[in-house]
């Protein structure tokens, strides 16, 4: 290497050493500045804690007694101090843990937090600030914050805040709002009119159905008194009476005659209940309204028809008695004339003539029985509203003492017979007819008739069975029809079972039978309790 090259190398190394030394000096200066800044920050934080301790001697008591999370931080978001509630809320292990609150802000809320912090610095405090945070143990919570700036010599040196966990409260509020919207939709769309009034009967709220029922819009109804606006001219003061009941906490239903906006009278069925505030005080009432106008009109028509029917039945019953008397009179006259004819011609009339006269008398007897049965049938449908307790055991016992029972027939009562509500005379007709038929149509050398009863929840089921000639299944329905008799006997008109069915139906029951030819018959019938 030449002398010249050596000189160039020496100058180059000298410049590098100078540059390195300058860089080292710059780094030393910057390190000194950073150290000094760090020392000032530590001093500032220590001064902040000292300032707080000096300015508020009760701070320790606050930390120990406050239920919500309470913390102090510097202006850069570093937590300087926190109570046990804050440790629990933010997911730390102790009050000595260090953290910067900004690290807990979820990314989508950073801009909101930055604006709120500027507002805090400008105004000195913020209230009712809500945001979601990510706690130290990675749990998302919704918190409510009230914060204020801490000043030293009129300069902001830190901030303090109360943080409350409202995660569950928010969930409850959302659930309540969901339920509110759901029931609001139901109320708005149901076909029942809803009205809310205060204690002065002033309308506060109505749904669409009530607007349609009344003809008024909500704006026309709210603030008006329902008793004044909606009451029909001839309606009494029922709303005032019901309002007094609501004030006493009573819920009930009542009918109300209303007048719509166009003057039409309507009948509403109202179910009212008191409305309470959070302290349990009655602040008004809520009523559900059902339009029963058509039903009331049908009831009026029914009442009118029932009156007409009752009048017709009375007239028919009276007519039946008159007809019965008018028909029986000539029959008895004919019977008397035939008897006299027979007596006056003893020894004159031959055997054939006498038989014909006997046939005439037999026919007259049957005709009279038929008229009597028709009268009984017309009477069987009369009202049983005057029902009284009837002891069936006594009734049957009296019947068995009156009926003619052949020696070859035995009648047994299998169970204790109850007391029922009904018409004693009509119930006696039922048992008398069924027992008489069981005796009359028993063709066995040893006859057996059994009376039984079975109790159910709503009714008694009676049965009368025999071992007689029985009835073919094809006649099981026909025998209950008027004038339908399976046996051509002079003492059978074919009306008896029709009367029985009518009486049973009148007592709210049913009648049916089980029977097979030559094996016997079992009649069942029910009587309501």
């Amino acid at each position: 290497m030449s002398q010249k090259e050596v000189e160039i190398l020496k100058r180059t190394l000298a410049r590098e050493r100078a540059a390195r030394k300058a860089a080292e000096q710059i780094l030393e200066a910057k390190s000194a500045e950073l150290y000094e800044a760090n020392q000032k920050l530590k001093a500032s934080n220590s001064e902040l804690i000292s300032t707080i301790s000096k300015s508020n001697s009760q701070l320790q008591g606050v930390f120990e007694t406050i239920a919500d999370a309470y913390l102090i931080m510097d202006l850069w978001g570093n937590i300087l101090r926190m109570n046990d509630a804050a440790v629990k809320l933010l997911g730390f292990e102790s009050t000595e843990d260090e953290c910067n609150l900004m690290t807990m802000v979820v990314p989508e809320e950073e801009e909101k937090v930055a604006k709120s912090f500027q507002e805090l610095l400008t105004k000195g405090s913020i209230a009712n600030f809500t945001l979601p945070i990510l706690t130290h143990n990675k749990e998302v919570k919704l918190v409510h914050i009230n914060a204020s700036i801490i000043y030293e010599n009129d300069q902001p040196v830190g901030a303090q805040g109360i943080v409350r966990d409202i995660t569950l409260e928010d969930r409850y509020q959302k659930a309540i709002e969901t339920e509110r919207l759901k029931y609001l939709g139901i109320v708005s769309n149901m076909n029942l009119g809803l009205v809310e009034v205060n204690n002065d009967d002033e309308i506060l709220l109505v749904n669409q159905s009530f607007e349609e029922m009344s003809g008024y819009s909500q704006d026309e109804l709210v603030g008006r008194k329902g008793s004044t606006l909606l009451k029909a001219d001839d309606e009494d003061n029922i709303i005032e009476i019901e309002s007094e009941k609501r004030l006493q906490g009573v819920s009930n239903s009542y009918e109300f005659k209303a007048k719509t906006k166009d003057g039409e009278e309507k009948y509403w069925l109202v179910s009212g209940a008191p409305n309470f505030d959070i302290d349990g005080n009655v602040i008004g009432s809520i009523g559900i309204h059902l339009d029963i106008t058509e039903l009331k009109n049908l009831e009026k028509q029914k009442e009118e028809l029932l009156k007409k029917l009752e009048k017709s039945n009375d007239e028919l019953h009276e007519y039946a008695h008159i007809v019965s008397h008018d028909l029986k009179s000539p029959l008895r006259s004919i019977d008397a004339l035939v008897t006299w004819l027979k007596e006056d011609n003893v020894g004159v009339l031959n055997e054939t003539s006498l038989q014909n006269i006997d046939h005439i008398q037999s026919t007259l007897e049957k005709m009279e029985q038929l008229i009597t049965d028709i009268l009984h049938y017309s009477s069987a449908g009369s009202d049983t509203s005057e029902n009284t307790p009837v002891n069936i055991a006594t009734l049957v016992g009296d019947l068995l003492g009156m009926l003619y029972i052949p020696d070859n027939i035995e009648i047994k009562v299998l169970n204790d017979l109850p007391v029922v509500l009904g018409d004693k005379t009509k119930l006696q007709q039922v048992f008398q007819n069924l027992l008489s038929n069981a005796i009359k149509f028993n063709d066995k050398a040893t006859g057996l008739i059994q009376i039984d009863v079975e109790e159910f929840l709503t009714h008694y089921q009676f049965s009368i069975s025999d071992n007689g000639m029985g009835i073919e299944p094809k006649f099981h329905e026909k025998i209950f029809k008027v004038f339908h008799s399976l046996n051509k006997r002079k003492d059978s008109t074919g009306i008896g079972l029709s009367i029985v069915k009518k009486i049973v139906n009148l007592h709210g029951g049913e009648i049916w039978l089980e029977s097979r030819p030559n094996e016997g018959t079992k009649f069942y019938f029910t009587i309501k309790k």
Side-chain angles (χ1 to χ4, degrees):
M1 180 181 295
S2 65
Q3 184 64 32
K4 185 178 181 178
E5 290 175 338
V6 171
E7 290 296 327
I8 292 172
L9 180 60
K10 287 181 178 179
R11 286 196 296 271
T12 301
L13 291 173
R15 286 195 296 270
E16 289 179 353
R17 283 195 295 270
R20 188 180 299 113
K21 186 174 181 180
E24 289 175 352
Q25 290 175 348
I26 293 172
L27 287 173
E28 288 178 1
K30 292 294 181 182
S31 296
E33 290 177 4
L34 290 173
Y35 176 78
E36 184 178 356
N38 187 43
Q39 291 299 111
K40 288 182 178 180
L41 177 61
K42 289 182 178 180
S44 175
N45 287 342
S46 298
E47 185 179 356
L48 175 61
I49 296 299
S50 175
T51 299
I52 294 171
S53 299
K54 292 177 181 178
S55 62
N56 188 357
S57 61
Q58 296 179 340
L59 181 61
Q60 186 63 37
V62 172
F63 269 79
E64 293 175 354
T65 60
I66 192 168
D68 289 321
Y70 180 73
L71 52 86
I72 300 171
M73 65 179 183
D74 60 25
L75 297 180
W76 291 270
N78 297 305
I79 297 176
L80 304 177
R81 194 167 185 183
M82 55 184 166
N83 64 357
D84 291 335
V87 171
K88 183 178 180 181
L89 171 62
L90 300 178
F92 292 112
E93 294 182 358
S94 72
T95 57
E96 303 300 324
D97 288 350
E98 297 182 357
C99 180
N100 190 295
L101 283 178
M102 295 303 295
T103 62
M104 294 185 173
V105 178
V106 295
E108 55 268 25
E109 297 290 334
E110 289 179 354
E111 184 177 351
K112 177 181 176 181
V113 172
K115 290 181 179 179
S116 299
F117 191 73
Q118 289 299 321
E119 181 183 354
L120 175 62
L121 289 173
T122 302
K123 296 182 177 180
S125 65
I126 57 172
N128 301 323
F129 179 62
T130 303
L131 80 157
I133 62 170
L134 183 65
T135 64
H136 190 65
N137 53 4
K138 307 304 179 185
E139 184 180 358
V140 177
K141 291 185 177 182
L142 186 69
V143 296
H144 175 276
I145 302 172
N146 286 330
S148 62
I149 292 294
I150 300 173
Y151 295 93
E152 172 67 17
N153 298 325
D154 296 329
Q155 294 295 319
V157 294
Q160 61 181 345
I162 295 177
V163 184
R164 185 162 57 89
D165 186 357
I166 61 170
T167 307
L168 289 178
E169 181 181 329
D170 181 65
R171 290 176 185 171
Y172 292 148
Q173 289 295 334
K174 288 179 179 178
I176 291 172
E177 180 64 14
T178 300
E179 290 297 308
R180 188 187 73 82
L181 292 174
K182 180 175 73 174
Y183 288 110
L184 180 61
I186 294 173
V187 168
S188 299
N189 295 290
M190 68 182 182
N191 292 324
L192 300 173
L194 179 139
V195 179
E196 181 182 350
V197 299
N198 60 20
N199 287 335
D200 294 324
D201 191 38
E202 294 174 343
I203 297 174
L204 305 176
L205 173 71
V206 298
N207 68 348
Q208 184 177 349
S209 293
F210 189 80
E211 292 181 70
E212 295 171 356
M213 288 173 61
S214 65
Y216 292 97
S217 66
Q218 179 164 293
D219 292 339
E220 293 174 314
L221 290 168
V222 172
R224 302 285 298 275
K225 284 195 173 185
S227 57
T228 304
L229 182 64
L230 300 168
K231 186 174 71 173
D233 296 335
D234 58 344
E235 180 62 290
D236 55 18
N237 59 342
I238 187 170
I239 291 184
E240 290 83 351
I241 295 173
E242 294 299 326
S243 296
E244 288 296 324
K245 292 180 181 178
R246 301 296 168 267
L247 291 174
Q248 298 170 13
V250 177
S251 301
N252 68 328
S253 298
Y254 61 94
E255 291 184 8
F256 172 65
K257 190 176 181 181
K259 182 175 64 176
T260 63
K261 184 178 180 180
D262 59 8
E264 186 180 3
E265 290 187 347
K266 296 283 188 178
Y267 289 93
W268 293 343
L269 177 64
V270 185
S271 294
N275 191 19
F276 300 94
D277 63 12
I278 194 170
D279 297 319
N281 301 312
V282 177
I283 57 174
S285 62
I286 296 176
I288 300 296
H289 299 67
L290 173 65
D291 190 339
I292 59 170
T293 306
E294 186 175 351
L295 180 60
K296 292 292 289 186
N297 291 336
L298 289 174
E299 285 181 354
K300 287 183 179 179
Q301 294 177 18
K302 178 184 175 182
E303 289 175 2
E304 291 175 0
L305 287 173
L306 287 175
K307 289 179 181 177
K308 291 180 180 179
L309 183 60
E310 184 178 359
K311 183 179 179 182
S312 297
N313 284 339
D314 291 340
E315 292 174 351
L316 181 61
H317 192 60
E318 183 179 356
Y319 177 75
H321 278 279
I322 294 172
V323 170
S324 173
H325 179 270
D326 290 348
L327 288 177
K328 284 185 176 183
S329 293
L331 287 178
R332 289 167 182 162
S333 298
I334 294 172
D335 184 61
L337 291 171
V338 170
T339 301
W340 294 339
L341 181 63
K342 184 177 179 181
E343 291 175 353
D344 291 343
N345 291 278
V346 174
V348 177
L349 298 174
N350 58 27
E351 186 67 26
T352 302
S353 297
L354 291 174
Q355 288 178 355
N356 289 333
I357 290 175
D358 289 339
H359 284 312
I360 292 173
Q361 289 181 314
S362 177
T363 304
L364 289 172
E365 290 176 8
K366 188 170 183 179
M367 188 65 181
E368 185 173 359
Q369 182 63 45
L370 180 60
I371 293 170
T372 300
D373 287 347
I374 291 174
L375 180 61
H376 288 163
Y377 183 77
S378 67
S379 302
S382 57
D383 187 22
T384 59
S385 58
E386 299 297 328
N387 285 340
T388 57
V390 180
N391 189 318
I392 301 299
T394 302
L395 184 149
V396 170
D398 293 342
L399 272 178
L400 296 181
M402 292 188 298
L403 292 173
Y404 169 71
I405 304 173
D407 293 338
N408 66 318
I409 292 179
E410 180 184 8
I411 298 179
K412 290 183 178 181
V413 178
L414 303 182
N415 283 304
D416 293 336
L417 299 177
V419 175
V420 301
L421 283 177
D423 186 304
K424 182 178 179 180
T425 302
K426 288 181 172 59
L427 290 175
Q428 181 174 314
Q429 283 182 278
V430 171
F431 282 93
Q432 181 174 341
N433 196 296
L434 293 176
L435 288 171
S436 296
N437 284 348
I439 296 170
K440 189 188 306 180
F441 301 113
N442 198 307
D443 57 350
K444 301 298 188 295
T446 301
L448 176 62
I449 299 173
Q450 295 179 322
I451 304 170
D452 200 2
V453 65
E454 187 174 356
E455 183 176 1
F456 292 90
L457 183 63
T458 59
H459 62 276
Y460 291 103
Q461 179 178 292
F462 295 91
S463 65
I464 297 178
S465 62
D466 63 70
N467 64 338
M469 60 181 62
I471 303 171
E472 292 185 29
K474 65 180 180 179
F475 297 119
H476 286 187
E477 293 296 329
K478 293 181 180 180
I479 60 173
F480 294 109
K481 296 181 179 179
V482 181
F483 303 126
H484 193 95
S485 177
L486 301 182
N487 298 276
K488 305 303 180 183
R489 297 172 50 136
K490 69 176 184 179
D491 55 352
S492 178
T493 62
I495 298 180
L497 288 177
S498 301
I499 295 174
V500 169
K501 179 176 174 60
K502 202 169 185 180
I503 293 173
V504 169
N505 293 158
L506 200 62
H507 284 77
E510 297 180 356
I511 185 168
W512 68 98
L513 73 151
E514 295 175 356
S515 181
R516 296 184 66 179
N518 300 318
E519 295 183 10
T521 302
K522 188 171 187 178
F523 281 92
Y524 296 90
F525 64 94
T526 59
I527 300 294
K528 280 189 176 181
K529 287 186 175 179

